[in-house]
Amino acid sequence: MFAAPPQPLFKSNTSASPAPPSLSAAIAGARRNFRAGRAQKSGFSSRFNGIRSIRAVISSGDKNVETATPPATKDSNGSFRSSDQGIDVRAVITIKKKIKETLTDKFEDQLESFINGIGQGIIIQLISEEIDPVTKSGKSVESSVRGWLPKPSDHSYIVEYDANFTVPSDFGCPGAVLITNLHGKEFYLMEIVVHGFSESPIFFPANSWIHSRKDNPESRIIFRNQAYLPSQTPAGLKDLRREDLLSIRGNGKGERKSFDRIYDYAPYNDLGRPDKDDDLVRPVLAGEEMPYPRRCRTGRPPTKSDPYSESRIEKPHSLYVPRDETFEEIKQANFSAGRLKALFHNLIPSIAANLSSSDISFKCFSEIDKLYNDGVILKSEEKNEEKKDILESLLLPMLMKKVVSVGERLLKYDIPAIISSDRFSWLRDNVFARQTLAGVNPVNIEVLKGFPILSKLDPAIYGPPESVITKELIEQELNGISVEEAIENKRLFILDYHDMLLPFIKKINSLPGRKTYASRTVFFYSQNGILRPLAIELSLPPTPSSPRNKQLYIHGHDATTHWIWKLAKAHVCSNDVGVHQLVNHWLRTHACMEPYIIATHRQLSSMHPIYKLLHPHMRYTLEINALARQNLINGGGVIEACFSPGKYAMDLSSAAYKSTWRFDMEALPADLLRRGMAVEDPSMPCGLRLVIEDYPYAADGLLVWSAIKEWVEGYVSHFYSEPETVTSDVELQAWWSEIKNKGHCDKRNEPWWPKLDTKEDLSGILTTMIWVASGQHAAINFGQYPFGGYVPNRPALMRKLIPQEDDPDFEKFLLNPQHTFLSSLATQLQATKVMAVQDALSTHSPDEEYLGQVHQLHSHWINDLEILNLFKKFSSKLEEIEEIIHGRNKDIHLKNRNGAGVPPYELLLPSSGPGVTGRGIPNSISI
């Protein structure tokens, strides 16, 4: 089914495959002048041999020109033609400089402009789609980028240069350009536009960093914006298409450098620091016992104490990601890179320095309110003025930059949405339940299918499988409705973290300041549309004295039961926070998306239509994942420090991947059916009818899913019009094979992987990927601060078990239940850290690209009118969806998104402005 791997035509510094011996001498001869700096400006030099079959005339004024330019005239098509029927064409090269420049940057820019002006900075070759009968490769002409001064543009940081060519009249249409950067440092190429051909203008979108020749002697290949399946590739571009893919794959050896564009796989083996401390040893996440998706390979050397663990690069240094995956300047300066680094390297250490001496519990709820009303004073002893002002320059919306006194700053948080209109909403059962449908983690609730509720864990290790939540107990809470009737009508639901968490409870509870349970919560959906909790089961591992170590809690009406019920709900919420962050957020979106991105770059040419479709949904993900490995999910990082699982956080994530993750269940309709939250109904949109109509995540999500599906199906049908085109697409088949066998290799033998034989198969796979990167991530990410910014509503960890009547602390609980409750939550330091991180993760960047929108830099992404019209239809559909969601939020009958003090459900509104908005669907996982 798959073609043999292509071999490079000439030696690449990243490819292990040598050039064919018959071409070696010719290649060396063709490149000798090129790499020597072009002391003599020759005309055309074939990329693949030494035969000079075509001569390009370099810009007039070059004293070393070998061939003079005959007088040119315009033909009827507007092309410039010389008297010998050669065509004069012009390439406009657009380069982006730094937006905010230092004096050094400005001086270097002037020097680069001068070097470009005299034709010594950038070499450009046009490659025709037509093959040269002599060289057997695409026809080629070459020139230097020229122009003494860059042309002015609307933006001072965008400059343009010209390169002029004379090409034979039979040159054909250019399909690629080769760029060689003779400068000592890289530059950012936005696009190249070629004028003078009958098809003019011809766009070559790049939006890429062009490495310096001193770092990598090979030229960069930029293709025009025409999409081609592999079998449709013009003859003149076939070699370049193959060569470009080989250059991106690398050879799997060596440590990657910052200028590299190499995409390869590695396991999660860089989270621990075994050379520093035994307590920072972390397992390698790979293999049968601890499976996990693969990450992007960096190639750093192993640690001294563990040859299987990769050494780490600690803050403030950056981990390697392929050069074009790094944040662009606006993103860096205004948000993620700069902001997260400032957060991790300056704000959190400042919080720790000011609160560590009093890392104590909140004594009363008013102390939590002070975080929003009064703020926290952070003292700075930095003498260096630049460093001293880092806190003040942090672009955190919740950071009120106010100088209290000399060397002090005030950290003041915004009021989270969950309490902005109703400070006491978090106390109510209906709000606790509503967040399972319309909160930041609405993806774990499922229909209860029957009694008894049973565990699938080994009873020899984990005790009797039956839950203590019984049919008889539930019937006492149903006001005369039988359990059978409630189950038949799908009105009983469960939030079940028992089997996922119980294997880890003993280890977690052995950590200092951690006490947790495995939990089950049963809910009832009433006739008036209200979901309410009926019972909570909290389980500990069995002991000889207590083989059935499970406690049952129900809401009561006396003061003691009321407070214990509140503690039980807090433990359920804490479990929900951990599962949300480590499984639903990090694993199912960030980590699982990374192999798709790596495989797309390695196996799909940038001229492949599926590459063009997926490209906006891959932006920034590798960079944000690298930052997470360095600061969030690493040993001793924020997640371990501030969330219940502690040092076992990624062990838990791996166990969830092993037991629950399936690609075919990541599609929204499949997930809803699996959880019993929807049933098949051909008369309904997407063929589904929701069991709970007022399920905001699912109701809005299906609108977005349907729009993505329609767009993808139209796109795929356009390019794969014949039945066999999917199976015969060698790049596409290699891409899907690599995702399964390399990116998710620990699950490669699972039977549930979808086949890729038809355009329907392909549309389903792509719709799932785009949904995960856009709608799914938005729904479970951008509500983190709006829902979790108030610690009692969603505690990231619990530090005490619920006191029992025979406990010594039970008397203290009776005397001061508020103190028991607050001392069970995170400390002031932990809470303040989590709030800062949640605020950062919930914030949109000013340069965010939202679903259905095309960034200005990518406006020439494809040269296909039918596809552009399909995309316009997709964008219009999303605008309609936005209006539908606004209408739903005003519907008084939908009580999960409308009512007194009830925040509207906006997480799946497609558009947003910058900041913590609680809405907006970015194209990609970029935070």
Side-chain angles (χ1 to χ4, degrees):
M1 181 178 293
F2 304 116
Q7 299 298 314
L9 292 177
F10 54 86
K11 185 176 183 292
S12 166
N13 70 318
T14 58
S15 175
S17 304
S22 60
L23 295 178
S24 298
I27 294 167
R31 289 192 168 274
R32 193 171 293 118
N33 285 343
F34 191 65
R35 293 176 180 172
R38 297 290 185 188
Q40 284 261 325
K41 295 294 182 219
S42 64
F44 164 73
S45 171
S46 170
R47 181 170 174 79
F48 302 118
N49 60 43
I51 301 173
R52 298 174 184 268
S53 56
I54 304 173
R55 302 237 175 217
V57 179
I58 314 303
S59 305
S60 60
D62 187 340
K63 298 178 181 179
N64 295 319
V65 171
E66 294 183 4
T67 307
T69 308
T73 59
K74 272 189 179 182
D75 65 9
S76 59
N77 292 323
S79 298
F80 288 95
R81 292 187 178 276
S82 60
S83 58
D84 64 354
Q85 295 303 299
I87 305 172
D88 286 342
V89 298
R90 171 173 167 255
V92 178
I93 295 90
T94 305
I95 293 173
K96 184 169 68 174
K97 304 184 299 180
K98 285 185 179 179
I99 298 175
K100 294 184 178 180
E101 292 189 312
T102 64
L103 288 175
T104 302
D105 293 329
K106 292 178 180 178
F107 174 78
E108 290 178 348
D109 281 346
Q110 291 297 320
L111 180 60
E112 287 179 11
S113 295
F114 175 79
I115 293 172
N116 288 337
I118 62 174
Q120 298 290 328
I122 302 171
I123 303 294
I124 178 172
Q125 285 179 271
L126 293 185
I127 309 295
S128 173
E129 292 184 345
E130 296 185 9
I131 200 164
D132 187 303
V134 178
T135 67
K136 307 302 181 184
S137 298
K139 297 175 183 179
S140 171
V141 293
E142 178 179 300
S143 180
S144 298
V145 169
R146 286 189 171 273
W148 285 101
L149 291 175
K151 292 192 171 186
S153 70
D154 294 337
H155 304 284
S156 61
Y157 55 87
I158 294 177
V159 296
E160 293 181 346
Y161 297 95
D162 285 350
N164 298 311
F165 303 83
T166 296
V167 302
S169 58
D170 64 349
F171 183 79
C173 181
V177 294
L178 272 56
I179 295 288
T180 304
N181 175 11
L182 305 180
H183 295 287
K185 66 175 187 177
E186 64 185 3
F187 63 81
Y188 190 85
L189 176 65
M190 295 175 65
E191 71 174 359
I192 299 170
V193 184
V194 177
H195 303 270
F197 290 94
S198 59
E199 298 182 33
S200 297
I202 302 172
F203 294 95
F204 296 80
N207 295 305
S208 176
W209 290 97
I210 307 300
H211 57 262
S212 168
R213 189 178 62 173
K214 72 178 179 61
D215 291 328
N216 181 351
E218 304 302 337
S219 306
R220 274 295 306 282
I221 303 168
I222 309 295
F223 294 106
R224 66 175 293 198
N225 62 343
Q226 185 69 46
Y228 292 112
L229 295 176
S231 61
Q232 300 167 340
T233 309
L237 304 182
K238 287 182 178 179
D239 294 338
L240 291 182
R241 183 169 186 151
R242 179 174 61 182
E243 184 64 32
D244 191 44
L245 281 175
L246 287 172
S247 71
I248 286 172
R249 294 174 195 163
N251 60 9
K253 299 177 182 179
E255 183 173 355
R256 298 270 59 89
K257 307 301 182 185
S258 60
F259 55 82
D260 282 336
R261 294 174 61 249
I262 306 299
Y263 295 78
D264 204 352
Y265 302 95
Y268 279 76
N269 63 347
D270 64 341
L271 302 181
R273 298 183 67 186
D275 290 344
K276 181 178 181 180
D277 193 325
D278 288 344
D279 197 47
L280 291 176
V281 173
R282 296 294 180 270
V284 175
L285 302 184
E288 185 177 348
E289 291 303 314
M290 299 194 73
Y292 217 63
R294 295 301 185 260
R295 63 170 175 89
C296 188
R297 181 184 178 276
T298 58
R300 296 189 303 273
T303 60
K304 296 177 182 178
S305 55
D306 180 5
Y308 298 104
S309 293
E310 189 173 87
S311 57
R312 287 178 56 79
I313 294 179
E314 298 298 339
K315 53 188 181 184
H317 304 291
S318 299
L319 297 182
Y320 167 80
V321 293
R323 185 63 183 97
D324 289 339
E325 302 298 325
T326 56
F327 294 135
E328 294 178 21
E329 186 181 358
I330 294 176
K331 182 88 167 176
Q332 287 180 333
N334 291 300
F335 183 50
S336 260
R339 177 174 168 185
L340 283 180
K341 286 180 179 178
L343 174 71
F344 291 127
H345 310 152
N346 298 285
L347 180 58
I348 285 182
S350 296
I351 292 172
N354 285 271
L355 296 180
S356 58
S357 59
S358 59
D359 187 14
I360 56 176
S361 307
F362 293 105
K363 294 183 177 64
C364 58
F365 288 99
S366 61
E367 286 190 340
I368 300 175
D369 293 340
K370 284 182 179 179
L371 295 173
Y372 319 110
N373 300 331
D374 300 334
V376 178
I377 294 176
L378 302 179
K379 297 180 180 179
S380 173
E381 297 180 358
E382 288 285 358
K383 296 181 180 179
N384 183 304
E385 285 299 321
E386 183 177 350
K387 293 182 179 180
K388 182 179 177 181
D389 291 338
I390 287 178
L391 286 178
E392 192 167 326
S393 65
L394 271 173
L395 296 175
L396 296 168
M398 52 80 182
L399 185 62
M400 305 292 287
K401 296 178 285 291
K402 178 181 178 182
V403 178
V404 179
S405 62
V406 177
E408 294 182 347
R409 300 292 186 273
L410 183 65
L411 174 66
K412 188 176 179 182
Y413 290 92
D414 286 336
I415 298 174
I418 189 65
I419 60 166
S420 61
S421 300
D422 185 349
R423 283 291 177 107
F424 304 104
S425 65
W426 67 277
L427 289 166
R428 296 195 296 272
D429 284 354
N430 68 306
V431 174
F432 168 76
R434 179 167 55 81
Q435 290 181 73
T436 67
L437 301 171
V440 70
N441 189 41
V443 296
N444 282 106
I445 188 170
E446 53 189 308
V447 163
L448 181 61
K449 297 177 181 178
F451 283 91
I453 302 171
L454 297 174
S455 168
K456 296 179 182 178
L457 298 175
D458 185 352
I461 300 174
Y462 299 104
E466 295 85 7
S467 169
V468 295
I469 302 176
T470 64
K471 172 183 173 182
E472 293 72 23
L473 174 75
I474 294 300
E475 284 191 334
Q476 295 175 19
E477 301 292 324
L478 294 184
N479 299 323
I481 300 174
S482 69
V483 163
E484 288 80 9
E485 182 183 355
I487 289 176
E488 182 181 355
N489 293 326
K490 300 185 185 302
R491 293 173 64 185
L492 286 176
F493 299 84
I494 187 169
L495 193 64
D496 193 345
Y497 296 135
H498 180 276
D499 287 8
M500 185 184 295
L501 296 179
L502 191 58
F504 294 93
I505 296 300
K506 184 176 181 180
K507 291 189 287 188
I508 293 172
N509 287 350
S510 68
L511 299 173
R514 297 288 198 284
K515 288 294 183 285
T516 190
Y517 304 89
S519 63
R520 288 189 179 105
T521 310
V522 173
F523 301 86
F524 176 68
Y525 190 64
S526 66
Q527 292 279 24
N528 60 357
I530 299 296
L531 186 70
R532 61 184 177 91
L534 301 182
I536 294 173
E537 175 194 80
L538 300 179
S539 301
L540 295 171
T543 63
S545 61
S546 182
R548 190 182 179 89
N549 207 354
K550 306 174 190 291
Q551 298 293 328
L552 178 65
Y553 300 93
I554 59 174
H555 49 86
H557 303 288
D558 63 281
T560 302
T561 309
H562 174 79
W563 274 104
I564 290 178
W565 174 248
K566 193 183 300 183
L567 283 166
K569 288 195 298 181
H571 275 281
V572 172
C573 289
S574 178
N575 287 346
D576 195 66
V577 169
V579 172
H580 163 262
Q581 197 65 264
L582 295 165
V583 179
N584 299 326
H585 180 211
W586 169 256
L587 168 66
R588 291 177 60 189
T589 62
H590 285 261
C592 286
M593 193 71 197
E594 187 154 343
Y596 312 152
I597 296 170
I598 298 170
T600 299
H601 284 282
R602 285 170 56 86
Q603 298 298 338
L604 299 182
S605 167
S606 60
M607 67 171 71
H608 197 291
I610 301 307
Y611 177 95
K612 291 182 178 293
L613 174 68
L614 289 177
H615 185 265
H617 307 290
M618 304 188 293
R619 189 179 187 228
Y620 295 152
T621 302
L622 297 190
E623 173 82 338
I624 196 65
N625 286 4
L627 280 169
R629 297 204 316 275
Q630 191 173 42
N631 298 297
L632 281 174
I633 63 171
N634 58 302
V638 173
I639 297 296
E640 289 192 359
C642 300
F643 288 74
S644 281
K647 65 185 291 185
Y648 303 107
M650 293 304 290
D651 300 52
L652 172 62
S653 190
S654 172
Y657 178 70
K658 181 178 183 179
S659 63
T660 66
W661 186 84
R662 295 176 46 156
F663 180 89
D664 60 331
M665 291 297 148
E666 294 305 292
L668 177 60
D671 174 60
L672 293 172
L673 290 170
R674 178 185 61 83
R675 292 189 283 122
M677 299 302 293
V679 295
E680 293 183 355
D681 186 342
S683 67
M684 299 294 289
C686 293
L688 298 181
R689 177 173 54 81
L690 295 179
V691 170
I692 297 178
E693 181 185 355
D694 187 14
Y695 184 2
Y697 158 76
D700 295 356
L702 286 173
L703 292 176
V704 176
W705 168 273
S706 180
I708 295 171
K709 182 173 181 285
E710 182 181 351
W711 152 240
V712 170
E713 287 177 345
Y715 188 99
V716 168
S717 293
H718 177 71
F719 289 103
Y720 294 91
S721 56
E722 300 299 325
E724 71 281 357
T725 47
V726 170
T727 53
S728 63
D729 187 334
V730 292
E731 288 183 6
L732 188 71
Q733 294 295 333
W735 166 79
W736 185 233
S737 176
E738 186 165 290
I739 286 171
K740 295 182 292 184
N741 295 310
K742 288 189 176 181
H744 285 274
C745 60
D746 296 332
K747 293 220 166 195
R748 62 186 177 276
N749 296 321
E750 296 287 356
W752 40 253
W753 283 103
K755 293 181 179 180
L756 183 51
D757 295 335
T758 67
K759 63 182 181 181
E760 289 77 18
D761 296 338
L762 178 57
S763 295
I765 290 167
L766 294 171
T767 301
T768 296
M769 290 180 178
I770 293 172
W771 161 254
V772 168
S774 57
Q776 180 70 5
H777 179 259
I780 60 179
N781 179 73
F782 294 105
Q784 289 192 70
Y785 187 79
F787 287 96
Y790 187 67
V791 179
N793 183 58
R794 288 183 63 79
L797 62 82
M798 297 294 286
R799 297 189 297 133
K800 293 181 179 180
L801 298 177
I802 298 176
Q804 304 300 311
E805 291 186 9
D806 54 352
D807 290 343
D809 288 338
F810 191 75
E811 190 68 27
K812 294 179 181 178
F813 161 68
L814 294 177
L815 292 173
N816 193 342
Q818 176 179 277
H819 178 267
T820 299
F821 181 86
L822 291 173
S823 63
S824 299
L825 306 181
T827 65
Q828 293 186 31
L829 173 60
Q830 291 168 329
T832 311
K833 281 184 179 180
V834 169
M835 290 166 69
V837 172
Q838 288 177 329
D839 178 88
L841 298 181
S842 302
T843 303
H844 290 293
S845 170
D847 73 334
E848 199 77 85
E849 296 178 8
Y850 296 97
L851 195 63
Q853 299 177 3
V854 175
H855 194 280
Q856 184 180 359
L857 297 180
H858 305 144
S859 57
H860 299 131
W861 68 284
I862 197 167
N863 180 31
D864 193 311
L865 184 59
E866 184 174 337
I867 290 298
L868 294 174
N869 287 334
L870 283 173
F871 186 80
K872 186 177 180 180
K873 181 180 178 182
F874 174 52
S875 300
S876 298
K877 185 71 173 180
L878 289 169
E879 292 176 2
E880 293 174 13
I881 288 172
E882 191 148 319
E883 293 305 312
I884 292 171
I885 293 174
H886 282 308
R888 287 174 174 176
N889 285 332
K890 295 176 182 177
D891 188 340
I892 60 173
H893 299 100
L894 300 177
K895 297 180 173 58
N896 287 324
R897 58 202 311 159
N898 184 285
V902 175
Y905 186 78
E906 298 182 328
L907 289 172
L908 285 169
L909 280 170
S911 68
S912 175
V916 180
T917 63
R919 60 174 289 174
I921 305 176
N923 272 322
S924 63
I925 300 167
S926 58
I927 184 59

